[in-house]
Amino acid sequence: MSSIVSIRLALGEDMAAGSFAGYRIQVSYHRVKMKEVEVSELFNKRPVNPARHIQVHMIRGYEELLREVVKPFDRAGGQRTLIVDGTHGADFDGFVGALAAYLSDRSIKFTIYPTTKYMKSGAQLQQWFAGDISDNRSFGKMTTGSIGDYFEPEARETLRSELRRRSPQEEERRNRWTVILGPGAAWLSGDSDFRLFLDITRENQQILHQKGLQNFGFNDNMDTLEKYKIAFFVEWPILETYRKRVVGKFDFYVDMNAEQTPVAVTADDLSGLIRAVAAGPMRVKPFFAPGVWGGQYLKKLADLPDDWVNCAWSFEPIAPENSILIGCEGGEIEVPFTLVMNVAYRDILGERVSGLFGDYFPIRFDYLDTIGGTNLSVQVHPKQAYIRERFNYILEQQESYYIMEKKQGSKVYLGLTETAAEDSFLPAVEAAQATGTPIEFTDYVQEWDCEKGDLFLIPTGTVHCSGSDNLVLEISATTWWFTFKIYDYVRKGLDGNPRPINIDHAAANIDWYKKRDWVERELIARPVETGRQGESVEYELGSREDLLFYVNRLHLTSVWEDDTRGEVLLLNLVEGQRVRIEPLAVPEAAVEFAYAESYILPAAVGAFRIHNLGDVPAKLIKAGVSPQWNQAVIDG
């Protein structure tokens, strides 16, 4: 069992800035007590998605990769230019060290031109992007900038001039390489003889942030929360858009997530691998993170390290944050899920949904664990007009809470009490924040009993939070960062710093009419039977005109036949032991998964069959984009 550091910070709904060491393993053995039945299962934390009907050789390690790099140069005459582009945080130093040793052993001379030499200074970038970064601790504005904004105005001409000035004499050209190295290399230099793109996931970038990596081009980040904010609002929108535009033009895509063992495929093979996995059921690599209110259920379920104080979250999927592992012919490559969507979004989402969302994956599943923990902050999420105007983000943050597990007496807080008013609630929380004296928040926020299997719908503008002793499966729009904390019990985060609240943003979005009677009528779901096959039954749990997603639950005794009907589906096994999903057109693409695991069924899957493999009845959540939802987030 090998281990790596796994760190998440200030991410998603209500996450506190902080970090913990974690482990990455293939599977973990656990025993989950469900009612009075003790069930043994395998929870797979590193699922590999096989790419079928395609033959791809994955290059593994520096030695084999550099042999491939040198091959075309051995055949060509004249001076060689190698572009080594990629994602900020990839181990460019390790790569160039291996390259230098390899070329030196072959008496090949080379000159390296790092892209950082031609960039604006950290202070200049801070000023250039000041409007996007803002002075708010958590929130900025999604930049409209591009890769060129990181560089000096004359960067390209400066490099060309240096290349002309330092060009070796004719007799030396056959044994000299020019290497343009770093993010933006292809934009900076243009023509080349060979191109590599070195990539890592967002998860690993944030691990490196905690170890000291600054934002791309910056040199004075305050802390990991600021690093995440700048990455979210500036760095990722620019560099991931740049990757989307250029990666298909490269000779090799290189997975650098395991620094000592890069894995490379050609750009064409990468596209083929992605399309192959997008033709069948697929599962992202989940990750887990602690938080100030986190519980103990996920920690036990997923066999997380003993030294974790708790586990607050598991994302599976929040598409921009996750990666996917693709296996082929004994090899394995890790690819950001955003890149998978860039290539195969029509296959995954289907014609109607991709017409609304483009290559943006619109639905997320994630866990909030407060079993043995404490309440989430009292919070609210922004409406579409507000999130567009203030943050330039494409989609409002709609949510729902599905109570997957609970302890006796646990609560959910949703909507406002009948006596709550803006002129009493907001001054009370401001006073608590100023004095450090807690308030009785249930004087203002409506408390509800909850039971296993309950679903609470949370449109934007609805005040809410989970209480302690719940395991909540959030089924929501993908948007996750825009949580406006109204009241947080005057507690500090795991890093010891006060947790900021966002009363101004919250006040602009709270729907004050959403009080007890309205909430009970409109937001507390009541199952409605929609289909029956033998003893198995499907229920609609929740859908609304102001929610882009619907939530159904399948009560499965043996077998159920269904169809994606040309649109993406998400499945999660919320009760039971194990199920198998079998695409009828391609039975060999069948997958099995266990309790609490999630699978994406791309639109291209079509008809499929679900088998209950356990000796007790199973229940699955099925979610998709509501047929009534017609609001596009992309132009045209």
Side-chain angles (χ1 to χ4, degrees), residues 351-528:
E351 182 177 354
R352 184 184 78 91
V353 178
S354 64
L356 297 173
F357 298 100
D359 62 3
Y360 182 87
F361 194 89
I363 298 174
R364 64 176 159 97
F365 280 1
D366 62 279
Y367 290 116
L368 310 174
D369 179 10
T370 65
I371 295 180
T374 58
N375 291 6
L376 274 69
S377 67
V378 177
Q379 57 198 245
V380 71
H381 302 305
K383 301 171 185 294
Q384 183 69 17
Y386 195 87
I387 205 169
R388 278 279 198 179
E389 178 183 349
R390 293 298 185 94
F391 307 113
N392 193 34
Y393 200 76
I394 63 173
L395 183 63
E396 66 184 19
Q397 188 162 328
Q398 314 161 1
E399 294 186 339
S400 70
Y401 284 178
Y402 180 83
I403 307 302
M404 191 157 163
E405 303 289 348
K406 66 179 294 292
K407 293 177 71 174
Q408 186 174 0
S410 68
K411 307 291 183 182
V412 166
Y413 303 91
L414 185 65
L416 301 164
T417 63
E418 293 299 327
T419 57
E422 184 173 2
D423 60 3
S424 59
F425 184 23
L426 297 186
V429 297
E430 288 177 324
Q433 194 74 358
T435 65
T437 303
I439 62 171
E440 290 292 338
F441 75 98
T442 52
D443 289 345
Y444 310 98
V445 184
Q446 185 62 50
E447 179 182 87
W448 301 91
D449 293 330
C450 62
E451 297 297 335
K452 181 180 173 74
D454 285 350
L455 178 70
F456 298 86
L457 303 175
I458 312 174
T460 60
T462 309
V463 175
H464 67 283
C465 72
S466 172
S468 61
D469 289 333
N470 289 321
L471 177 67
V472 172
L473 172 63
E474 278 198 309
I475 306 152
S476 306
T478 288
T479 310
W480 73 99
W481 181 249
F482 299 92
T483 294
F484 301 149
K485 299 184 186 72
I486 305 167
Y487 179 64
D488 196 38
Y489 322 103
V490 299
R491 63 187 170 189
K492 295 182 179 180
L494 291 177
D495 59 356
N497 294 321
R499 283 161 54 85
I501 60 174
N502 317 105
I503 293 179
D504 290 344
H505 286 311
N509 286 276
I510 293 173
D511 289 330
W512 293 97
Y513 66 87
K514 291 180 177 176
K515 298 190 175 183
R516 179 183 176 86
D517 290 347
W518 189 94
V519 168
E520 186 171 21
R521 182 176 68 252
E522 299 289 338
L523 302 184
I524 298 179
R526 295 169 178 81
V528 176

Side-chain angles (χ1 to χ4, degrees), residues 24-309:
R24 179 185 297 160
I25 64 176
Q26 181 66 27
V27 293
S28 60
Y29 188 79
H30 69 274
R31 301 181 73 85
V32 182
K33 192 170 184 180
M34 301 171 58
K35 296 184 178 178
E36 298 303 319
V37 181
E38 197 173 61
V39 182
S40 299
E41 285 301 339
L42 289 173
F43 189 92
N44 190 350
K45 292 186 289 186
R46 195 175 169 83
V48 178
N49 298 266
R52 295 178 174 84
H53 309 301
I54 184 172
Q55 293 182 334
V56 171
H57 173 64
M58 296 184 187
I59 295 169
R60 182 176 173 84
Y62 279 116
E63 183 72 22
E64 186 179 2
L65 174 58
L66 293 174
R67 281 202 307 269
E68 293 296 321
V69 171
V70 169
K71 275 182 185 177
F73 291 177
D74 287 340
R75 295 192 295 267
Q79 186 174 351
R80 286 83 161 173
T81 299
L82 171 65
I83 285 177
V84 184
D85 207 325
T87 296
H88 178 56
D91 189 12
F92 288 95
D93 289 344
F95 179 88
V96 80
L99 176 67
Y102 195 88
L103 297 182
S104 296
D105 287 346
R106 288 153 182 79
S107 301
I108 299 173
K109 297 179 180 179
F110 58 92
T111 304
I112 295 174
Y113 296 85
T115 59
T116 52
K117 178 181 178 182
Y118 307 93
M119 291 174 61
K120 296 182 176 78
S121 69
Q124 288 173 317
L125 289 173
Q126 190 82 34
Q127 183 176 11
W128 183 271
F129 292 116
D132 300 322
I133 296 172
S134 84
D135 58 2
N136 186 284
R137 283 285 287 140
S138 301
F139 304 115
K141 194 167 188 176
M142 300 297 287
T143 187
T144 58
S146 63
I147 189 69
D149 292 331
Y150 277 99
F151 291 88
E152 293 283 8
E154 303 301 322
R156 284 166 153 171
E157 181 53 39
T158 299
L159 175 61
R160 283 194 291 267
S161 177
E162 291 183 5
L163 292 176
R164 287 193 298 268
R165 187 166 60 250
R166 297 181 184 180
S167 181
Q169 298 300 314
E170 181 66 32
E171 61 271 17
E172 296 181 8
R173 289 180 181 175
R174 290 185 178 276
N175 291 309
R176 180 173 290 275
W177 286 24
T178 295
V179 181
I180 316 299
L181 180 78
W187 176 89
L188 184 65
S189 61
D191 294 337
S192 65
D193 298 294
F194 203 82
R195 295 184 176 197
L196 300 172
F197 193 94
L198 312 186
D199 205 8
I200 61 171
T201 64
R202 285 191 182 187
E203 178 183 5
N204 279 329
Q205 281 181 292
Q206 291 166 81
I207 291 171
L208 294 171
H209 283 166
Q210 184 65 28
K211 292 180 177 180
L213 178 73
Q214 305 294 309
N215 289 111
F216 181 48
F218 288 71
N219 50 28
D220 192 25
N221 294 127
M222 181 186 304
D223 55 20
T224 50
L225 176 57
E226 184 182 61
K227 291 176 185 179
Y228 186 85
K229 183 183 77 166
I230 294 173
F232 185 90
F233 289 100
V234 176
E235 183 178 322
W236 291 334
I238 290 178
L239 290 187
E240 290 179 358
T241 299
Y242 172 70
R243 179 182 64 195
K244 172 183 173 180
R245 182 169 58 84
V246 304
V247 71
K249 302 174 184 177
F250 277 62
D251 294 285
F252 280 100
Y253 172 89
V254 187
D255 165 14
M256 295 289 289
N257 289 290
E259 290 184 355
Q260 302 304 314
T261 313
V263 179
V265 294
T266 68
D268 287 344
D269 282 344
L270 175 66
S271 178
L273 288 168
I274 289 172
R275 293 190 182 281
V277 298
M282 57 184 180
R283 184 172 175 228
V284 301
K285 180 167 75 71
F287 63 78
F288 304 86
V292 66
W293 42 261
Q296 301 298 316
Y297 190 91
L298 288 175
K299 182 179 173 182
K300 294 178 181 178
L301 173 74
D303 192 26
L304 298 176
D306 290 338
D307 60 357
W308 278 39
V309 64

